[in-house]
Amino acid sequence: IRVKKAIGAVDPNLTLRNCALLGDAASCALTVRTNNGFVNEIDGTLQNLDSIRTRGIDLTGLYRTPETGIGSFGLAVNATWLLKYVLSASNGFVVIDRKGTERGSPDQAFPKFKGNATVDWSLNDTIAASFTGRYISDVTEINPNDGLPNRMNSRFYGDVQLTFTPGFAQHRFAFTIGVNNVFDTDPPPCFSCSLNNFDPTTYDVPGQFGYARISYKMCRGGEPCEAWWRS
């Protein structure tokens, strides 16, 4: 995918590096210093860019077993490989390769691989259970405190869910309970991120999340609602 005449913010660490090491006038204009020469702030507002180019591979797989005496089992897999994510500035001078990095403020990670898989089991359309595993590969950020790379390790999350659909009312009621992040996995520390030292756009908020849900199906399967109400 290529986006021409894109609008985006240049990484402040790259802006500072281009000014200090390469003497780029456009980058130095965005770097505000105090009277004694210390960096006070870096203007990270949106700019007109030349292009954003990205390339990747998405994979989806679905499988379900036939009904057996102990129910049926299913497997759903979704995976994404990021092969390229390059941002070019309008003057052709600044080029940023985002693949495998954490941008930080505004928070966004670009992992080389992300995937999730769900294994589920159901019995007689009455009981269903599932486990979903979510994996995010490691990324690297630039620590604004010392200017050195910081590796944010990969994370694996697990979610479980149980649904009971009783036979009364023609299976139209469903009772569901579940827990997200059942292993209580914390997000990797992020020094460049703007919120609570982690990236909430990519990783789960710390802690487990439990929920309960009651749902009711108004219409019979395959029939319009009007036909059911008339009957």
Coordinates of all heavy atoms in Angstrom, one line a residue, residues 57-121:
I57 N 2.0 -9.4 4.8 CA 1.3 -10.6 4.5 C 0.3 -10.9 5.6 O 0.6 -10.9 6.8 CB 2.2 -11.8 4.3 CG1 3.2 -11.5 3.2 CG2 1.5 -13.1 4.0 CD1 4.3 -12.6 3.0
D58 N -1.0 -11.1 5.2 CA -2.0 -11.5 6.1 C -2.4 -12.9 5.9 O -2.6 -13.3 4.7 CB -3.3 -10.6 6.0 CG -3.0 -9.2 6.4 OD1 -2.1 -9.0 7.2 OD2 -3.7 -8.3 5.9
L59 N -2.6 -13.7 6.9 CA -3.0 -15.1 6.8 C -4.2 -15.4 7.7 O -4.1 -15.0 8.9 CB -1.8 -16.0 7.2 CG -2.1 -17.5 7.2 CD1 -2.4 -18.0 5.8 CD2 -0.9 -18.3 7.8
T60 N -5.2 -16.0 7.1 CA -6.3 -16.4 7.9 C -6.7 -17.9 7.6 O -6.7 -18.3 6.5 CB -7.6 -15.6 7.5 OG1 -7.3 -14.2 7.8 CG2 -8.8 -16.0 8.3
G61 N -6.9 -18.7 8.7 CA -7.3 -20.1 8.5 C -8.4 -20.5 9.5 O -8.4 -20.0 10.6
L62 N -9.3 -21.2 9.0 CA -10.5 -21.7 9.7 C -10.7 -23.2 9.5 O -10.6 -23.7 8.4 CB -11.8 -20.9 9.3 CG -11.8 -19.4 9.4 CD1 -13.0 -18.8 8.7 CD2 -11.8 -19.0 10.9
Y63 N -11.0 -23.9 10.6 CA -11.3 -25.3 10.5 C -12.2 -25.7 11.7 O -12.1 -25.2 12.8 CB -10.0 -26.2 10.7 CG -10.3 -27.6 10.7 CD1 -10.6 -28.3 9.5 CD2 -10.3 -28.4 11.8 CE1 -10.9 -29.7 9.5 CE2 -10.5 -29.7 11.8 CZ -10.8 -30.4 10.6 OH -11.1 -31.7 10.6
R64 N -13.2 -26.6 11.3 CA -14.1 -27.1 12.3 C -14.3 -28.6 12.1 O -14.5 -29.0 10.9 CB -15.5 -26.4 12.3 CG -16.5 -27.0 13.3 CD -17.6 -26.0 13.6 NE -17.0 -24.8 14.4 CZ -16.8 -24.9 15.7 NH1 -17.0 -26.0 16.4 NH2 -16.3 -23.8 16.3
T65 N -14.3 -29.4 13.2 CA -14.5 -30.8 13.0 C -16.0 -31.1 12.9 O -16.8 -30.3 13.3 CB -13.9 -31.5 14.3 OG1 -14.7 -31.2 15.4 CG2 -12.5 -31.1 14.5
P66 N -16.3 -32.3 12.3 CA -17.7 -32.7 12.3 C -18.2 -33.0 13.8 O -17.4 -33.1 14.7 CB -17.6 -34.1 11.5 CG -16.3 -34.0 10.8 CD -15.4 -33.2 11.6
E67 N -19.5 -33.0 13.9 CA -20.0 -33.3 15.2 C -19.7 -34.7 15.7 O -19.7 -35.7 14.9 CB -21.6 -33.2 15.2 CG -22.1 -31.8 15.1 CD -21.9 -31.0 16.4 OE1 -21.7 -31.6 17.4 OE2 -22.0 -29.8 16.3
T68 N -19.3 -34.8 17.0 CA -18.9 -36.1 17.5 C -19.7 -36.3 18.8 O -20.5 -35.5 19.2 CB -17.4 -36.2 17.9 OG1 -17.1 -35.3 18.9 CG2 -16.6 -35.9 16.6
G69 N -19.5 -37.4 19.5 CA -20.2 -37.7 20.7 C -19.8 -36.7 21.8 O -20.6 -36.6 22.8
I70 N -18.7 -36.1 21.7 CA -18.3 -35.1 22.7 C -18.3 -33.7 22.2 O -17.7 -32.8 22.8 CB -16.8 -35.5 23.2 CG1 -15.9 -35.5 22.1 CG2 -16.8 -36.8 24.0 CD1 -14.4 -35.6 22.5
G71 N -19.0 -33.5 21.1 CA -19.2 -32.2 20.6 C -18.3 -31.9 19.4 O -17.8 -32.9 18.8
S72 N -18.1 -30.7 19.0 CA -17.3 -30.3 17.9 C -16.2 -29.3 18.3 O -16.4 -28.5 19.3 CB -18.1 -29.7 16.7 OG -18.7 -28.5 17.1
F73 N -15.1 -29.3 17.6 CA -14.0 -28.4 17.9 C -13.7 -27.5 16.7 O -13.9 -27.9 15.5 CB -12.8 -29.2 18.3 CG -13.0 -30.1 19.5 CD1 -13.5 -31.3 19.4 CD2 -12.6 -29.6 20.8 CE1 -13.7 -32.1 20.5 CE2 -12.8 -30.4 21.9 CZ -13.3 -31.6 21.8
G74 N -13.2 -26.3 17.0 CA -12.9 -25.4 15.9 C -11.6 -24.7 16.2 O -11.1 -24.6 17.3
L75 N -10.9 -24.2 15.1 CA -9.7 -23.5 15.2 C -9.7 -22.4 14.2 O -10.0 -22.6 13.0 CB -8.5 -24.4 14.9 CG -7.1 -23.7 14.8 CD1 -6.7 -23.1 16.2 CD2 -6.1 -24.7 14.3
A76 N -9.5 -21.1 14.7 CA -9.4 -20.0 13.8 C -8.0 -19.3 14.0 O -7.7 -19.0 15.2 CB -10.5 -19.0 14.1
V77 N -7.3 -19.0 13.0 CA -6.0 -18.4 13.1 C -5.9 -17.1 12.2 O -6.4 -17.2 11.0 CB -4.9 -19.4 12.6 CG1 -3.5 -18.7 12.7 CG2 -4.9 -20.6 13.5
N78 N -5.4 -16.0 12.8 CA -5.2 -14.8 12.0 C -3.8 -14.3 12.3 O -3.4 -14.2 13.5 CB -6.2 -13.7 12.4 CG -7.6 -14.1 12.0 OD1 -8.0 -13.9 10.9 ND2 -8.4 -14.6 13.0
A79 N -3.0 -14.1 11.3 CA -1.6 -13.6 11.5 C -1.2 -12.6 10.5 O -1.8 -12.5 9.3 CB -0.6 -14.8 11.3
T80 N -0.4 -11.7 10.9 CA 0.1 -10.6 10.0 C 1.6 -10.4 10.1 O 2.1 -10.3 11.2 CB -0.6 -9.2 10.4 OG1 -2.0 -9.3 10.2 CG2 0.0 -8.1 9.5
W81 N 2.3 -10.4 9.0 CA 3.7 -10.2 8.9 C 3.9 -8.8 8.3 O 3.5 -8.6 7.1 CB 4.5 -11.2 8.1 CG 4.6 -12.5 8.8 CD1 5.6 -13.0 9.5 CD2 3.6 -13.6 8.7 NE1 5.4 -14.3 10.0 CE2 4.2 -14.7 9.5 CE3 2.4 -13.8 8.1 CZ2 3.5 -15.9 9.7 CZ3 1.7 -15.0 8.3 CH2 2.3 -16.0 9.1
L82 N 4.6 -7.9 9.0 CA 4.9 -6.6 8.4 C 6.3 -6.6 7.8 O 7.3 -6.8 8.4 CB 4.9 -5.5 9.6 CG 5.2 -4.1 9.1 CD1 4.1 -3.6 8.1 CD2 5.3 -3.1 10.3
L83 N 6.3 -6.5 6.5 CA 7.5 -6.6 5.7 C 8.2 -5.2 5.5 O 9.4 -5.1 5.4 CB 7.3 -7.2 4.3 CG 6.6 -8.6 4.4 CD1 6.4 -9.1 3.0 CD2 7.4 -9.6 5.2
K84 N 7.3 -4.1 5.5 CA 7.9 -2.8 5.2 C 6.9 -1.8 5.7 O 5.7 -1.9 5.5 CB 8.2 -2.7 3.7 CG 8.7 -1.3 3.3 CD 9.0 -1.3 1.8 CE 9.7 0.0 1.3 NZ 9.9 0.0 -0.2
Y85 N 7.5 -0.7 6.3 CA 6.7 0.5 6.6 C 7.6 1.7 6.6 O 8.4 1.9 7.6 CB 6.0 0.3 8.0 CG 4.9 1.3 8.2 CD1 3.5 1.0 8.1 CD2 5.2 2.7 8.5 CE1 2.5 1.9 8.3 CE2 4.2 3.6 8.6 CZ 2.8 3.2 8.6 OH 1.8 4.1 8.8
V86 N 7.7 2.4 5.5 CA 8.6 3.5 5.3 C 7.9 4.8 5.1 O 6.9 4.9 4.3 CB 9.6 3.2 4.1 CG1 10.4 4.4 3.8 CG2 10.4 2.0 4.4
L87 N 8.3 5.8 5.8 CA 7.7 7.2 5.7 C 8.8 8.1 5.2 O 9.9 8.2 5.7 CB 7.3 7.6 7.1 CG 6.6 9.0 7.3 CD1 5.6 8.9 8.4 CD2 7.6 10.0 7.6
S88 N 8.4 8.8 4.1 CA 9.4 9.8 3.5 C 8.9 11.2 3.6 O 7.7 11.5 3.5 CB 9.5 9.5 2.0 OG 10.0 8.1 1.8
A89 N 9.8 12.1 4.0 CA 9.4 13.5 4.1 C 9.3 14.2 2.7 O 9.8 13.7 1.7 CB 10.4 14.3 5.0
S90 N 8.6 15.4 2.7 CA 8.3 16.0 1.4 C 9.6 16.5 0.7 O 9.7 16.6 -0.5 CB 7.4 17.2 1.7 OG 8.0 18.1 2.6
N91 N 10.7 16.8 1.5 CA 11.9 17.2 0.9 C 12.8 16.1 0.4 O 13.9 16.3 -0.1 CB 12.7 18.2 1.8 CG 13.1 17.5 3.1 OD1 12.8 16.3 3.3 ND2 13.6 18.3 4.0
G92 N 12.4 14.9 0.7 CA 13.1 13.7 0.3 C 14.3 13.4 1.2 O 15.1 12.5 1.0
F93 N 14.5 14.2 2.3 CA 15.7 14.1 3.1 C 15.5 13.1 4.3 O 16.4 12.3 4.5 CB 16.0 15.5 3.7 CG 17.3 15.5 4.5 CD1 18.5 15.4 3.9 CD2 17.2 15.5 5.9 CE1 19.7 15.4 4.6 CE2 18.4 15.5 6.6 CZ 19.6 15.5 6.0
V94 N 14.3 13.1 4.9 CA 14.1 12.3 6.1 C 13.3 11.0 5.6 O 12.3 11.1 5.0 CB 13.3 13.1 7.1 CG1 13.0 12.2 8.3 CG2 14.0 14.3 7.5
V95 N 13.9 9.9 6.0 CA 13.2 8.6 5.7 C 13.2 7.8 7.0 O 14.2 7.7 7.7 CB 13.9 7.8 4.7 CG1 13.3 6.4 4.5 CG2 13.9 8.5 3.3
I96 N 12.0 7.4 7.4 CA 11.8 6.6 8.7 C 11.4 5.2 8.3 O 10.4 5.0 7.6 CB 10.8 7.3 9.6 CG1 11.2 8.7 9.9 CG2 10.7 6.5 10.9 CD1 10.2 9.5 10.7
D97 N 12.0 4.2 8.9 CA 11.6 2.8 8.7 C 11.0 2.4 10.0 O 11.7 2.3 11.0 CB 12.8 1.9 8.4 CG 12.4 0.5 8.1 OD1 11.2 0.2 8.1 OD2 13.3 -0.3 7.7
R98 N 9.7 2.2 10.0 CA 8.9 1.9 11.3 C 8.9 0.4 11.6 O 8.6 0.1 12.7 CB 7.5 2.4 11.1 CG 7.3 3.9 11.0 CD 7.6 4.6 12.2 NE 7.1 6.0 12.2 CZ 7.5 6.9 13.1 NH1 8.3 6.6 14.0 NH2 7.0 8.2 13.0
K99 N 9.2 -0.4 10.7 CA 9.1 -1.9 11.0 C 9.9 -2.3 12.2 O 11.1 -2.0 12.4 CB 9.6 -2.6 9.8 CG 9.4 -4.1 9.9 CD 9.9 -4.9 8.7 CE 11.4 -4.9 8.6 NZ 11.9 -5.8 7.5
G100 N 9.2 -2.9 13.1 CA 9.8 -3.4 14.3 C 10.1 -2.4 15.4 O 11.0 -2.6 16.2
T101 N 9.4 -1.2 15.3 CA 9.7 -0.2 16.2 C 8.5 0.3 17.0 O 7.3 0.0 16.5 CB 10.3 1.1 15.5 OG1 9.3 1.6 14.6 CG2 11.5 0.7 14.7
E102 N 8.7 1.0 18.0 CA 7.6 1.7 18.8 C 7.8 3.2 18.5 O 8.9 3.7 18.8 CB 7.7 1.4 20.3 CG 6.9 2.3 21.2 CD 5.4 2.3 21.0 OE1 4.9 1.2 21.0 OE2 4.8 3.3 20.7
R103 N 6.8 3.9 18.0 CA 6.9 5.3 17.7 C 6.9 6.1 19.0 O 7.8 7.0 19.2 CB 5.7 5.7 16.8 CG 5.8 7.2 16.4 CD 4.7 7.6 15.4 NE 3.4 7.3 15.9 CZ 2.3 7.4 15.2 NH1 2.4 7.8 13.9 NH2 1.1 7.2 15.7
G104 N 5.9 5.9 19.9 CA 5.9 6.7 21.1 C 5.4 8.1 20.9 O 6.0 8.8 20.1
S105 N 4.4 8.5 21.6 CA 3.9 9.9 21.6 C 3.8 10.6 20.2 O 4.6 11.4 19.9 CB 4.7 10.8 22.5 OG 4.1 12.0 22.7
P106 N 2.7 10.3 19.4 CA 1.6 9.5 19.7 C 1.9 8.0 19.7 O 2.7 7.6 18.8 CB 0.6 9.9 18.7 CG 1.4 10.3 17.5 CD 2.6 11.0 18.1
D107 N 1.4 7.3 20.6 CA 1.8 5.9 20.8 C 1.3 5.0 19.7 O 0.1 5.0 19.3 CB 1.2 5.3 22.2 CG 1.6 6.3 23.3 OD1 2.6 6.9 23.3 OD2 0.8 6.3 24.3
Q108 N 2.2 4.2 19.1 CA 1.9 3.2 18.2 C 3.1 2.3 17.9 O 4.2 2.8 17.7 CB 1.4 3.8 16.8 CG 0.9 2.7 15.9 CD 0.4 3.3 14.6 OE1 0.4 4.6 14.4 NE2 -0.1 2.5 13.7
A109 N 2.9 1.0 18.0 CA 3.9 0.0 17.7 C 3.7 -0.6 16.3 O 2.6 -0.7 15.8 CB 3.9 -1.1 18.8
F110 N 4.9 -1.0 15.7 CA 4.8 -1.6 14.4 C 5.6 -2.9 14.5 O 6.7 -3.1 13.9 CB 5.5 -0.7 13.4 CG 4.8 0.7 13.2 CD1 5.1 1.7 14.1 CD2 3.9 0.9 12.2 CE1 4.5 3.0 13.9 CE2 3.3 2.1 12.0 CZ 3.6 3.1 12.9
P111 N 5.0 -3.9 15.2 CA 5.7 -5.2 15.3 C 5.8 -5.9 14.0 O 5.0 -5.8 13.1 CB 4.8 -6.0 16.3 CG 3.5 -5.4 16.2 CD 3.7 -3.9 15.9
K112 N 6.9 -6.7 13.8 CA 7.1 -7.4 12.6 C 6.1 -8.6 12.5 O 5.7 -9.0 11.3 CB 8.5 -8.0 12.6 CG 9.6 -7.0 12.5 CD 11.0 -7.6 12.5 CE 12.1 -6.5 12.5 NZ 13.4 -7.2 12.6
F113 N 5.6 -9.1 13.6 CA 4.6 -10.2 13.5 C 3.5 -10.0 14.6 O 3.9 -9.7 15.8 CB 5.2 -11.5 13.7 CG 4.3 -12.7 13.8 CD1 3.7 -13.2 12.6 CD2 3.9 -13.2 15.0 CE1 2.8 -14.2 12.7 CE2 3.0 -14.3 15.1 CZ 2.4 -14.7 13.9
K114 N 2.3 -10.1 14.3 CA 1.2 -10.2 15.2 C 0.3 -11.3 14.8 O 0.0 -11.6 13.6 CB 0.4 -8.9 15.2 CG 1.1 -7.7 15.8 CD 0.1 -6.5 16.0 CE -0.7 -6.1 14.8 NZ -1.6 -5.0 15.1
G115 N -0.3 -12.1 15.8 CA -1.1 -13.2 15.5 C -2.0 -13.5 16.6 O -1.7 -13.2 17.8
N116 N -3.2 -14.1 16.3 CA -4.1 -14.7 17.3 C -4.7 -15.9 16.8 O -4.9 -16.1 15.6 CB -5.1 -13.6 17.7 CG -6.0 -13.3 16.6 OD1 -6.9 -14.1 16.2 ND2 -5.9 -12.1 16.0
A117 N -5.0 -16.8 17.7 CA -5.6 -18.1 17.4 C -6.6 -18.4 18.5 O -6.4 -18.2 19.6 CB -4.6 -19.2 17.3
T118 N -7.8 -18.9 18.0 CA -8.9 -19.3 18.9 C -9.2 -20.8 18.7 O -9.5 -21.3 17.6 CB -10.1 -18.5 18.6 OG1 -9.8 -17.1 18.8 CG2 -11.3 -18.9 19.6
V119 N -9.2 -21.5 19.9 CA -9.6 -22.9 19.9 C -11.0 -22.9 20.7 O -11.0 -22.4 21.8 CB -8.6 -23.8 20.6 CG1 -9.1 -25.2 20.7 CG2 -7.3 -23.7 19.9
D120 N -12.0 -23.5 20.0 CA -13.3 -23.5 20.7 C -13.9 -24.9 20.6 O -13.5 -25.7 19.8 CB -14.2 -22.5 20.0 CG -14.7 -22.9 18.6 OD1 -15.7 -23.6 18.5 OD2 -14.0 -22.5 17.7
W121 N -14.8 -25.1 21.6 CA -15.5 -26.4 21.7 C -17.0 -26.1 22.0 O -17.4 -25.2 22.7 CB -15.0 -27.2 22.9 CG -15.8 -28.3 23.3 CD1 -16.0 -29.6 22.7 CD2 -16.7 -28.4 24.5 NE1 -16.8 -30.3 23.4 CE2 -17.3 -29.6 24.5 CE3 -17.0 -27.4 25.5 CZ2 -18.2 -30.0 25.5 CZ3 -17.9 -27.8 26.4 CH2 -18.5 -29.0 26.5

